Amino acid sequence: MPTKSRNLFSQLSDIEEQLNNFSFEELTSEEASELKMTFQSFKNNLENKFFGGKSNKAESQATKKSESSDEANLIAKVSHEIRTPLNGIIGFTDLLKESSLTKKQTDHVDAIQSASQTLMQIINELLEYSKLSAGLNELTSIEFNFHKLVNDVSYLCKTLIVDKSIDFEVRMDSAIPKILVGDPSKLSQILLNLIGNSIKFVERGSIKLTIIQVGLSSNDVQLEFDVTDTGIGISKDGLENIFESFKQAETDTYSKYGGTGLGLSIVKQIVEKLNGEIDVVSTLGVGSTFRFTLPYQKSNNNTAIVEEVTPYKGQEELLEGMRVLVFEDNHLNQRLIKHRLENWKCEVFLTDKAIYGLNVLKNHKIDVVLMDLRMPVMDGFEITKQIRSSKDDRIKNVPIIALTADFSIHDQKKCDAHGINDFILKPYSPDELIHKLLANKEIENFQSPSNIVTTNTQVEEGDSIVDLDIVYEDCMGEMDLLEELVGLFKENALEFIGKVKIGIKNEDFVAIKFAAHKIKTGLKMMKTRALSDFVENIHKNSETIKNMVEIENLFNCFIKEYSLVELAIDVEVEKLKRK
Amino acid sequence: MQEKKRLLLADDDELLASLISFRLEKGGYEVCLKRDGKEVKEYLSQNIPDIIVTDIMMPYFSGIELIDFVRNQLKSNIPIIVISSAGNEENVLSAFELGANDFISKPVSPSELLVRVARELNKT
């Protein structure tokens, strides 16, 4: 057998061996059909190559591309699957931290928390990477204020180095047009990634961002960006595959600095998607320079349509006494925004938890809510939805300003649909924050948009995810009975989860309907309002609307919430026992 | 001493049934708990309780069928209280048409059920 086909055969038998050890029961039908497709295209490809002779280079290129995008799709799916239980871990850990722990236990829980957050970050990077590979990450082309974007990025970077002795400097050719046409969010992503990378590897010294014009025609402008640092540098060998996925320069980079080795690969992919080029020069122990060029169109619009923020110097005093509730999960950002708002003499409430935030809204007259849209346990859209479905008009109508790096938030419809009044794009300057706070301070009688999708999650006085007081009363104080009921409840819930899972797989609406019906009473007895609402909706969707996608969504919500409820029940039972 | 009243509780929801039967027993009733229509029918062929409390949705034999069976086959007038899920008004109406005496909605408050059971028994 010729070497080449022998290689192929040995690879095939490897695959076969792996398949023997693979548990196919765990595949979803979608994954299975994807697998089948991949094998079929492999087979067809082989046949075409040898017997059809029609296959040309372009075709095999196309197949190759679609294969890699299949793979990326799979990664995207898997990342999502990992994120869900991970959310549970993070949620549990948060809850655990609230119980009374010894010093040692607190240390251990902190360790779990930081490890799971690192894992979440890695998964997010993986997801971003796979989205890029699959071409799912769409580019926008809009007018934006280039100078302002650079200032914002540099402002954010400065906040990242407050703890280090690093000089950060930006030099920008002032001849670069103020308004350009392109994708601003991708540009800030590239810059933050590269500068963030430098910050990671520089102990002390300097980081410099230089931007010059290298090409100019009547319509276009070519910009060159240099990010130079005095960091640890990269060896010659390391440089060769620095932009490759999952590769880091030195083998011990990960152990020293962590990371996935995806950051630079993501940057390179984005730059190339934007029709730019990226390169690196570096000397070990001296530092590195990452250089990339990007083309932008000039704007025809000389009068800048992009919103200009006039400096609000001196207007800070108007903010005095304003009560601001901030949903933000990143600790650095938390510290930053608290510090800033308190400087302006605002009263600040900080949290990353829906329940805590909703309690604050109940007990304080909050003037405005700042909402980070991307939080691990419950995202900002979800919390906004809960606020907007409150029975209390004052809570329901509180102005909500979204904090986001997602430029598609520019879409007014999207804001309206989610019940968001206004937004601030990250990274943002203090002036912008003042401007938005003032603009939303006076909004009275804001009517929440009518087309907002609300769940029936009502927020009421003393709202908690579970309440055992009434059922305990019904048990006439018999702890044994209560514990038995709780045991039954958990069994029922597990049975429900199992049945619905199978029901979704088999598209069996009737089975789902029965499962939902059966668990309803128990949920009401335990006063788990959110779970009851999810199940009520699952029941409705399986009985009349027959929408499997929605059922799956609701079911995922149920599972997420249930893990918290189960823990909360145990905590409640312990509390009642102590009484 | 007065003999304990016998109550047939037909409900397939273990959670609710455990709680209710506990409270009814505490309230001085002899409770016989059946989890599905088959068990109920078997029991009724041998025994006549003083009162029946039944869920509407049950395996094999619904609460509605149970009322029909008691009133039209057994020709018995023993009080029947129906437990209904919210949003099942139609079922409650047919239950009344077939001769149910009272109904109580889920989630059932055991104390309320005790009062209703006592009230029905006092009528007879």
Side-chain angles (χ1 to χ4, degrees):
Chain A
M1 206 185 282
T3 324
K4 273 189 180 166
S5 54
R6 201 162 48 219
N7 281 344
L8 198 59
F9 265 107
S10 88
Q11 278 182 33
L12 277 175
S13 65
D14 273 356
I15 293 177
E16 220 174 288
E17 202 174 310
Q18 280 173 33
L19 286 179
N20 284 335
N21 299 324
F22 192 80
S23 65
F24 283 93
E25 298 89 303
E26 283 166 21
L27 282 183
T28 66
S29 58
E30 220 173 319
E31 284 165 347
S33 75
E34 225 167 280
L35 247 169
K36 194 180 141 203
M37 292 276 284
T38 316
F39 275 114
Q40 234 151 31
S41 80
F42 173 72
K43 183 177 154 260
N44 291 343
N45 212 3
L46 207 64
E47 274 175 0
N48 275 339
K49 272 205 174 114
F50 293 102
F51 310 112
K54 280 175 192 163
S55 141
N56 54 33
K57 210 178 166 193
E59 202 176 295
S60 78
Q61 281 275 322
T63 326
K64 202 173 153 195
K65 205 167 177 187
S66 97
E67 267 168 19
S68 90
S69 95
D70 275 353
E71 185 188 311
N73 268 326
L74 193 67
I75 294 178
K77 259 183 217 146
V78 172
S79 310
H80 184 76
E81 292 298 318
I82 299 172
R83 252 148 55 122
T84 311
L86 191 55
N87 274 330
I89 295 174
I90 293 174
F92 273 128
T93 317
D94 284 347
L95 272 175
L96 204 56
K97 273 183 90 170
E98 282 170 17
S99 47
S100 46
L101 298 175
T102 64
K103 171 81 181 63
K104 207 170 173 187
Q105 284 169 330
T106 309
D107 287 349
H108 292 169
V109 173
D110 280 344
I112 298 175
Q113 197 172 35
S114 110
S116 46
Q117 260 148 11
T118 311
L119 186 56
M120 182 63 96
Q121 204 183 333
I122 291 173
I123 290 163
N124 283 340
E125 250 179 41
L126 202 61
L127 195 65
E128 172 76 22
Y129 170 77
S130 59
K131 267 200 215 154
L132 274 168
S133 315
L136 295 172
N137 212 324
E138 277 174 21
L139 302 174
T140 55
S141 185
I142 54 171
E143 288 188 333
F144 67 101
N145 187 328
F146 178 79
H147 289 233
K148 183 172 170 306
L149 185 144
V150 172
N151 280 337
D152 289 347
V153 168
S154 105
Y155 179 82
L156 193 79
C157 291
K158 279 178 187 153
T159 65
L160 291 173
I161 54 169
V162 282
D163 295 338
K164 291 188 164 188
S165 48
I166 300 177
D167 285 325
F168 180 69
E169 195 189 337
V170 180
R171 283 192 200 157
M172 174 162 51
D173 184 348
S174 56
I176 297 171
K178 212 170 184 180
I179 308 296
L180 293 175
V181 180
D183 192 324
S185 66
K186 290 282 174 287
L187 176 58
S188 54
Q189 197 183 352
I190 297 168
L191 287 172
L192 285 173
N193 237 315
L194 287 180
I195 299 169
N197 215 38
S198 292
I199 292 173
K200 204 155 109 187
F201 296 114
V202 175
E203 314 281 358
R204 62 163 60 88
S206 71
I207 299 170
K208 213 160 57 185
L209 168 65
T210 316
I211 308 169
I212 54 169
Q213 261 183 141
V214 287
L216 186 68
S217 70
S218 52
N219 294 322
D220 302 302
V221 51
Q222 185 89 12
L223 301 179
E224 185 183 281
F225 302 76
D226 278 0
V227 177
T228 306
D229 67 52
T230 58
I232 56 170
I234 308 160
S235 72
K236 230 178 175 176
D237 290 342
L239 276 176
E240 271 177 31
N241 39 27
I242 190 81
F243 289 114
E244 269 175 48
S245 328
F246 306 106
K247 289 255 167 72
Q248 288 181 324
E250 316 302 330
T251 38
D252 63 348
T253 307
Y254 176 77
S255 54
K256 268 193 200 154
Y257 301 98
T260 52
L262 278 178
L264 287 175
S265 159
I266 290 173
V267 166
K268 185 172 179 353
Q269 288 198 51
I270 298 176
V271 169
E272 283 172 357
K273 271 193 97 159
L274 294 169
N275 298 320
E277 279 168 29
I278 184 161
D279 205 359
V280 55
V281 284
S282 182
T283 313
L284 202 57
V286 176
S288 318
T289 297
F290 283 86
R291 168 174 297 175
F292 64 97
T293 52
L294 286 178
Y296 284 98
Q297 277 170 276
K298 282 203 252 174
S299 166
N300 299 326
N301 212 332
N302 286 326
T303 54
I305 57 148
V306 177
E307 194 177 327
E308 289 289 334
V309 178
T310 46
Y312 269 72
K313 283 264 178 295
Q315 301 220 34
E316 291 106 270
E317 57 206 47
L318 292 172
L319 293 175
E320 200 177 319
M322 197 168 174
R323 272 175 296 256
V324 185
L325 169 63
V326 186
F327 286 92
E328 168 69 69
D329 66 310
N330 181 301
H331 290 279
L332 185 82
N333 287 342
Q334 277 192 355
R335 237 171 54 196
L336 195 73
I337 200 159
K338 187 169 189 291
H339 182 75
R340 214 179 262 170
L341 289 171
E342 280 177 350
N343 261 349
W344 297 333
K345 299 191 175 62
C346 293
E347 203 176 324
V348 187
F349 302 87
L350 255 177
T351 184
D352 60 349
K353 286 185 205 66
I355 296 170
Y356 176 84
L358 291 167
N359 258 317
V360 168
L361 282 168
K362 242 174 276 162
N363 301 325
H364 301 268
K365 198 189 160 298
I366 296 296
D367 295 298
V368 65
V369 174
L370 292 174
M371 179 80 68
D372 180 16
L373 290 182
R374 257 182 75 170
M375 285 185 286
V377 179
M378 183 184 261
D379 75 14
F381 288 125
E382 189 53 42
I383 300 175
T384 305
K385 215 161 37 173
Q386 288 200 9
I387 294 175
R388 292 295 181 236
S389 54
S390 167
K391 275 183 183 164
D392 185 337
D393 278 349
R394 182 177 59 78
I395 296 175
K396 191 173 162 180
N397 297 331
V398 69
I400 298 178
I401 305 176
L403 303 172
T404 177
D406 179 7
F407 268 77
S408 68
I409 198 83
H410 266 299
D411 187 349
Q412 191 60 44
K413 271 188 207 143
K414 190 169 167 182
C415 284
D416 284 352
H418 287 102
I420 291 164
N421 301 65
D422 205 348
F423 59 88
I424 302 177
L425 282 169
K426 284 181 175 177
Y428 52 87
S429 65
D431 279 345
E432 228 174 322
L433 187 58
I434 295 181
H435 169 78
K436 294 285 187 185
L437 285 174
L438 282 176
N440 285 283
K441 189 185 167 191
E442 299 302 331
I443 297 184
E444 300 270 346
N445 301 323
F446 164 75
Q447 295 298 314
S448 64
S450 55
N451 56 346
I452 163 179
V453 199
T454 54
T455 56
N456 293 326
T457 321
Q458 298 294 348
V459 183
E460 283 167 9
E461 213 57 46
D463 199 33
S464 66
I465 56 175
V466 59
D467 184 357
L468 295 185
D469 287 352
I470 292 165
V471 67
Y472 187 56
E473 224 169 79
D474 285 337
C475 289
M476 301 169 84
E478 300 241 348
M479 188 43 76
D480 289 352
L481 181 64
L482 181 72
E483 286 190 297
E484 188 192 324
L485 294 179
V486 164
L488 280 172
F489 171 77
K490 287 183 187 170
E491 272 173 35
N492 285 352
L494 287 182
E495 192 188 321
F496 170 78
I497 290 172
K499 283 199 170 148
V500 175
K501 232 181 210 165
I502 297 169
I504 290 174
K505 207 170 161 189
N506 299 336
E507 304 235 321
D508 186 346
F509 287 108
V510 178
I512 295 173
K513 189 183 98 181
F514 276 118
H517 177 80
K518 205 170 163 212
I519 197 179
K520 266 190 200 169
T521 316
L523 294 174
K524 284 194 176 134
M525 281 171 72
M526 301 291 165
K527 297 269 179 284
T528 58
R529 202 164 336 192
L531 289 182
S532 286
D533 286 336
F534 291 139
V535 169
E536 198 65 53
N537 279 321
I538 289 175
H539 190 262
K540 229 184 273 166
N541 269 292
S542 57
E543 192 171 35
T544 45
I545 309 167
K546 304 221 189 278
N547 182 345
M548 200 51 89
V549 178
E550 184 62 23
I551 289 177
E552 220 176 326
N553 280 338
L554 289 161
F555 180 60
N556 287 335
C557 295
F558 178 94
I559 290 181
K560 233 192 232 174
E561 175 83 11
Y562 177 71
S563 53
L564 298 175
V565 166
E566 205 182 76
L567 193 75
I569 286 180
D570 292 344
V571 171
E572 284 258 299
V573 169
E574 283 307 310
K575 256 194 225 158
L576 289 170
K577 266 188 186 168
R578 257 180 263 140
K579 271 187 200 167
Chain B
M1 199 183 113
Q2 207 186 336
E3 210 178 294
K4 276 187 178 178
K5 296 275 188 193
R6 284 194 299 176
L7 183 147
L8 169 65
L9 175 61
D11 196 335
D12 66 321
D13 188 327
E14 293 162 290
L15 200 60
L16 185 64
S18 317
L19 184 61
I20 296 176
S21 60
F22 164 79
R23 281 301 295 275
L24 289 167
E25 273 166 7
K26 282 259 163 183
Y29 296 91
E30 188 186 320
V31 180
C32 176
L33 173 61
K34 297 294 166 201
R35 303 229 186 255
D36 65 51
K38 268 189 200 162
E39 284 183 18
V40 169
K41 234 176 171 175
E42 262 171 44
Y43 176 82
L44 285 175
S45 65
Q46 317 268 330
N47 314 272
I48 297 293
D50 296 300
I51 185 166
I52 297 175
V53 176
T54 180
D55 193 4
I56 289 184
M57 294 260 278
M58 269 188 305
Y60 304 119
F61 193 55
S62 78
I64 303 290
E65 284 167 292
L66 172 61
I67 301 166
D68 184 50
F69 179 75
V70 171
R71 295 284 185 256
N72 298 323
Q73 303 261 327
L74 300 178
K75 309 272 182 209
S76 165
N77 277 324
I78 53 169
I80 301 177
I81 299 176
V82 167
I83 300 172
S84 83
S85 322
N88 257 338
E89 286 73 19
E90 263 176 53
N91 279 330
V92 175
L93 281 182
S94 35
F96 274 121
E97 272 168 24
L98 284 166
N101 300 68
D102 199 0
F103 87 100
I104 184 165
S105 298
K106 285 184 188 177
V108 175
S109 145
S111 315
E112 186 188 336
L113 182 64
L114 266 173
V115 173
R116 289 187 186 270
V117 167
R119 191 180 67 177
E120 288 309 317
L121 286 171
N122 280 337
K123 279 184 193 165
T124 51

